[in-house]
Amino acid sequence: MKNALLKYGSFALLLAPLGCQTSAPAATQATTADAWTPKKADKWFRSRVWANGLKLNVQESVDKVEFARQYTANKAAWDKAFAYFRDTNLEQLAVGKYPIDGDNVFAAVTDNPTKEYANTNWESHRKYIDMQYVVRGAEKIGQVPLASATVTKPYDEARDAANYSAEGPLYEAKPGTIYIFFPQDVHRPNIKVEGIDKDKKLVVKVRVAQ
């Protein structure tokens, strides 16, 4: 049986003969496979398939849908990032910057005094995702959705950062838990915890997958 040609406006669609079974285009299949629902993403998060043997936790406040989407879109980079946490002696790691996977994944270690709340800033990034981990000591980190924040300093591409005014919850970051912030996560790190004056901190940057 011949194929039928259906004209629709300025477009023409080639229809398969009736009775023939066709499969969805590859692009459609990929889109369906990548459609993460909150329930599906939560199950994926709790399975810890992303951890690859890493014992550290990821903080519960993480956007699980975006985490699943970014991980599956850029798995090789994320696996290298988590392997770095798993295989590196973070206590002995000196202050400085460290390449992990060229411009896709890299790390920075600081060992500085934390600051009073008023001396810290809300910020977000567009090109890179933050994986923030307190190796020693403690600090508070704020987190709010981008939609709930007001820009005070527009995005600067050189810094890959914008600043905001916002109000939101503060989490006490301590060894054992990684905090992950995506472009839609406005965060406020380096806030002093009562009785703790400084912390050693590792920040791993992972390039955003579009």
Side-chain angles (χ1 to χ4, degrees), residues 1-5 14-20:
M1 183 180 295
K2 294 182 180 180
N3 291 346
L5 185 66
L14 185 64
L15 302 181
L18 292 176
C20 292

Side-chain angles (χ1 to χ4, degrees), residues 149-199:
T150 302
V151 175
T152 57
K153 185 178 290 187
Y155 177 74
D156 181 340
E157 187 170 0
R159 296 190 304 125
D160 186 33
N163 295 115
Y164 305 82
S165 62
E167 293 185 7
L170 299 179
Y171 302 94
E172 186 169 326
K174 298 183 291 186
T177 302
I178 303 168
Y179 287 73
I180 302 179
F181 303 113
F182 300 100
Q184 64 269 32
D185 297 318
V186 176
H187 48 286
R188 187 169 185 151
N190 303 324
I191 303 168
K192 179 180 170 61
V193 171
E194 187 66 30
I196 301 176
D197 295 328
K198 63 181 298 186
D199 66 359

